[in-house]
PDB file of all heavy atoms in Angstrom:
ATOM      1  N   PHE A 171      10.378  49.099 -39.510  1.00  0.00           N
ATOM      2  CA  PHE A 171      10.823  49.075 -38.109  1.00  0.00           C
ATOM      3  C   PHE A 171      11.806  47.928 -37.861  1.00  0.00           C
ATOM      4  O   PHE A 171      11.710  47.200 -36.880  1.00  0.00           O
ATOM      5  CB  PHE A 171       9.620  48.972 -37.169  1.00  0.00           C
ATOM      6  CG  PHE A 171       8.605  50.064 -37.365  1.00  0.00           C
ATOM      7  CD1 PHE A 171       7.423  49.826 -38.033  1.00  0.00           C
ATOM      8  CD2 PHE A 171       8.866  51.359 -36.922  1.00  0.00           C
ATOM      9  CE1 PHE A 171       6.497  50.838 -38.241  1.00  0.00           C
ATOM     10  CE2 PHE A 171       7.954  52.377 -37.127  1.00  0.00           C
ATOM     11  CZ  PHE A 171       6.764  52.118 -37.783  1.00  0.00           C
ATOM     12  N   VAL A 172      12.734  47.810 -38.775  1.00  0.00           N
ATOM     13  CA  VAL A 172      13.739  46.752 -38.681  1.00  0.00           C
ATOM     14  C   VAL A 172      14.781  47.127 -37.633  1.00  0.00           C
ATOM     15  O   VAL A 172      15.307  48.247 -37.634  1.00  0.00           O
ATOM     16  CB  VAL A 172      14.431  46.525 -40.044  1.00  0.00           C
ATOM     17  CG1 VAL A 172      15.538  45.487 -39.921  1.00  0.00           C
ATOM     18  CG2 VAL A 172      13.398  46.094 -41.081  1.00  0.00           C
ATOM     19  N   LEU A 173      15.100  46.202 -36.739  1.00  0.00           N
ATOM     20  CA  LEU A 173      16.076  46.455 -35.691  1.00  0.00           C
ATOM     21  C   LEU A 173      17.498  46.178 -36.193  1.00  0.00           C
ATOM     22  O   LEU A 173      17.740  45.186 -36.883  1.00  0.00           O
ATOM     23  CB  LEU A 173      15.791  45.562 -34.477  1.00  0.00           C
ATOM     24  CG  LEU A 173      14.472  45.823 -33.737  1.00  0.00           C
ATOM     25  CD1 LEU A 173      14.279  44.792 -32.635  1.00  0.00           C
ATOM     26  CD2 LEU A 173      14.458  47.221 -33.148  1.00  0.00           C
ATOM     27  N   GLU A 174      18.408  47.068 -35.855  1.00  0.00           N
ATOM     28  CA  GLU A 174      19.805  46.871 -36.210  1.00  0.00           C
ATOM     29  C   GLU A 174      20.336  45.601 -35.547  1.00  0.00           C
ATOM     30  O   GLU A 174      20.088  45.360 -34.362  1.00  0.00           O
ATOM     31  CB  GLU A 174      20.636  48.075 -35.757  1.00  0.00           C
ATOM     32  CG  GLU A 174      20.249  49.380 -36.440  1.00  0.00           C
ATOM     33  CD  GLU A 174      20.990  50.568 -35.867  1.00  0.00           C
ATOM     34  OE1 GLU A 174      21.726  50.378 -34.882  1.00  0.00           O
ATOM     35  OE2 GLU A 174      20.809  51.681 -36.391  1.00  0.00           O
ATOM     36  N   ASN A 175      21.038  44.804 -36.315  1.00  0.00           N
ATOM     37  CA  ASN A 175      21.625  43.565 -35.793  1.00  0.00           C
ATOM     38  C   ASN A 175      20.567  42.686 -35.122  1.00  0.00           C
ATOM     39  O   ASN A 175      20.838  42.024 -34.125  1.00  0.00           O
ATOM     40  CB  ASN A 175      22.757  43.869 -34.813  1.00  0.00           C
ATOM     41  CG  ASN A 175      23.697  42.693 -34.628  1.00  0.00           C
ATOM     42  OD1 ASN A 175      23.768  41.798 -35.463  1.00  0.00           O
ATOM     43  ND2 ASN A 175      24.408  42.691 -33.523  1.00  0.00           N
ATOM     44  N   ARG A 176      19.335  42.751 -35.656  1.00  0.00           N
ATOM     45  CA  ARG A 176      18.219  41.954 -35.147  1.00  0.00           C
ATOM     46  C   ARG A 176      17.911  42.212 -33.669  1.00  0.00           C
ATOM     47  O   ARG A 176      17.418  41.347 -32.956  1.00  0.00           O
ATOM     48  CB  ARG A 176      18.483  40.463 -35.366  1.00  0.00           C
ATOM     49  CG  ARG A 176      18.590  40.080 -36.843  1.00  0.00           C
ATOM     50  CD  ARG A 176      18.795  38.593 -37.013  1.00  0.00           C
ATOM     51  NE  ARG A 176      18.885  38.235 -38.433  1.00  0.00           N
ATOM     52  CZ  ARG A 176      19.069  36.983 -38.873  1.00  0.00           C
ATOM     53  NH1 ARG A 176      19.180  35.999 -37.994  1.00  0.00           N
ATOM     54  NH2 ARG A 176      19.144  36.756 -40.157  1.00  0.00           N
ATOM     55  N   GLY A 177      18.239  43.411 -33.223  1.00  0.00           N
ATOM     56  CA  GLY A 177      17.911  43.782 -31.854  1.00  0.00           C
ATOM     57  C   GLY A 177      18.877  43.291 -30.807  1.00  0.00           C
ATOM     58  O   GLY A 177      18.623  43.446 -29.603  1.00  0.00           O
ATOM     59  N   LEU A 178      20.004  42.737 -31.206  1.00  0.00           N
ATOM     60  CA  LEU A 178      20.950  42.186 -30.243  1.00  0.00           C
ATOM     61  C   LEU A 178      21.597  43.273 -29.389  1.00  0.00           C
ATOM     62  O   LEU A 178      22.102  42.997 -28.307  1.00  0.00           O
ATOM     63  CB  LEU A 178      22.037  41.383 -30.973  1.00  0.00           C
ATOM     64  CG  LEU A 178      21.558  40.133 -31.719  1.00  0.00           C
ATOM     65  CD1 LEU A 178      22.734  39.451 -32.413  1.00  0.00           C
ATOM     66  CD2 LEU A 178      20.891  39.154 -30.752  1.00  0.00           C
ATOM     67  N   GLY A 179      21.580  44.516 -29.871  1.00  0.00           N
ATOM     68  CA  GLY A 179      22.208  45.589 -29.119  1.00  0.00           C
ATOM     69  C   GLY A 179      21.306  46.224 -28.078  1.00  0.00           C
ATOM     70  O   GLY A 179      21.748  47.057 -27.279  1.00  0.00           O
ATOM     71  N   ILE A 180      20.029  45.848 -28.064  1.00  0.00           N
ATOM     72  CA  ILE A 180      19.089  46.447 -27.121  1.00  0.00           C
ATOM     73  C   ILE A 180      19.320  45.878 -25.720  1.00  0.00           C
ATOM     74  O   ILE A 180      19.351  44.668 -25.533  1.00  0.00           O
ATOM     75  CB  ILE A 180      17.631  46.190 -27.542  1.00  0.00           C
ATOM     76  CG1 ILE A 180      17.350  46.854 -28.888  1.00  0.00           C
ATOM     77  CG2 ILE A 180      16.660  46.726 -26.495  1.00  0.00           C
ATOM     78  CD1 ILE A 180      15.976  46.537 -29.427  1.00  0.00           C
ATOM     79  N   LYS A 181      19.511  46.744 -24.768  1.00  0.00           N
ATOM     80  CA  LYS A 181      19.667  46.319 -23.379  1.00  0.00           C
ATOM     81  C   LYS A 181      18.418  46.747 -22.617  1.00  0.00           C
ATOM     82  O   LYS A 181      18.282  47.896 -22.216  1.00  0.00           O
ATOM     83  CB  LYS A 181      20.926  46.925 -22.764  1.00  0.00           C
ATOM     84  CG  LYS A 181      22.218  46.424 -23.407  1.00  0.00           C
ATOM     85  CD  LYS A 181      23.437  47.016 -22.721  1.00  0.00           C
ATOM     86  CE  LYS A 181      24.728  46.483 -23.365  1.00  0.00           C
ATOM     87  NZ  LYS A 181      25.929  47.066 -22.727  1.00  0.00           N
ATOM     88  N   GLN A 182      17.512  45.817 -22.444  1.00  0.00           N
ATOM     89  CA  GLN A 182      16.240  46.104 -21.803  1.00  0.00           C
ATOM     90  C   GLN A 182      16.435  46.249 -20.301  1.00  0.00           C
ATOM     91  O   GLN A 182      16.874  45.323 -19.627  1.00  0.00           O
ATOM     92  CB  GLN A 182      15.266  44.962 -22.113  1.00  0.00           C
ATOM     93  CG  GLN A 182      13.906  45.106 -21.468  1.00  0.00           C
ATOM     94  CD  GLN A 182      13.065  43.871 -21.721  1.00  0.00           C
ATOM     95  OE1 GLN A 182      13.243  43.189 -22.712  1.00  0.00           O
ATOM     96  NE2 GLN A 182      12.170  43.577 -20.809  1.00  0.00           N
ATOM     97  N   LYS A 183      16.118  47.419 -19.780  1.00  0.00           N
ATOM     98  CA  LYS A 183      16.325  47.680 -18.353  1.00  0.00           C
ATOM     99  C   LYS A 183      15.026  47.639 -17.557  1.00  0.00           C
ATOM    100  O   LYS A 183      15.018  47.285 -16.387  1.00  0.00           O
ATOM    101  CB  LYS A 183      17.003  49.040 -18.174  1.00  0.00           C
ATOM    102  CG  LYS A 183      18.407  49.107 -18.782  1.00  0.00           C
ATOM    103  CD  LYS A 183      19.024  50.474 -18.578  1.00  0.00           C
ATOM    104  CE  LYS A 183      20.424  50.522 -19.171  1.00  0.00           C
ATOM    105  NZ  LYS A 183      21.050  51.863 -18.999  1.00  0.00           N
TER     106      LYS A 183
END
Side-chain angles (χ1 to χ4, degrees):
F171 304 103
V172 176
L173 295 175
E174 297 174 355
N175 200 21
R176 297 182 180 180
L178 296 179
I180 297 175
K181 295 182 179 179
Q182 178 185 332
K183 296 180 179 179

